[in-house]
Amino acid sequence: PLFRSPAFASLVDRDPDELTGLAVADLCQEEDRPALLDAFERIGRRHEPAAERTALDVRLQSSAGAQVWVGMVASAIEATEFAAPMLLAQWIDLSVRRRAEQDRAELLLEQAARAQAESIAERLSKLQTLTSAMETLALDELLPELSTRLAELFEADVAEVEISGGVERPV
């Protein structure tokens, strides 16, 4: 159960009295709960509590039902003759970092979509350059024009068009 902690209560937007005796797992998002409970169990099984700490990112639920990303760093506190073993958990608000990560991911998707759109636009522009005004040309005018446009399109000094085989026309 949680002890009364004003800082933790503020983190999850709750009254400190509301948290007294409440299990933190009850505030944890259902998908994250197994990982949190597993981390608590691993900490409780250690023989040398101060030797290792466990860190975990989980989502807690605020009083308004919003998700609050937090980082938990926990370690066991050895039992004394006057007190039972305890778990010390430090909670770090990761909301700003998670929002920044999400914004960055959205920006990368947007940049990839823009690059793809620009690539498609460039291809269409090249195709349009190649085909524009060729529809009305006769074959003897078309071939020189086609080779000139191909040279421009591929930034070549010279382009040559070769026709092999005969073209069959429907009867």
Side-chain angles (χ1 to χ4, degrees), residues 4 9-12 19-20 40 43 51 53-54 89 101 127 132 134 140 142 153 157 161:
R4 188 173 174 177
S10 175
L11 181 67
V12 291
L19 296 176
T20 302
F40 287 160
I43 294 166
R53 295 175 186 251
T54 298
E101 288 171 353
L127 182 59
S132 65
M134 292 186 171
D140 60 333
L142 178 65
L153 184 67
D157 295 331
V161 176

Side-chain angles (χ1 to χ4, degrees), residues 101-123:
E101 288 171 353
Q102 184 177 3
D103 290 348
R104 183 177 185 275
E106 289 172 5
L107 178 62
L108 290 173
L109 284 174
E110 183 181 310
Q111 288 174 339
R114 183 180 304 124
Q116 184 178 15
E118 289 172 356
S119 174
I120 290 171
E122 184 181 341
R123 287 180 191 159

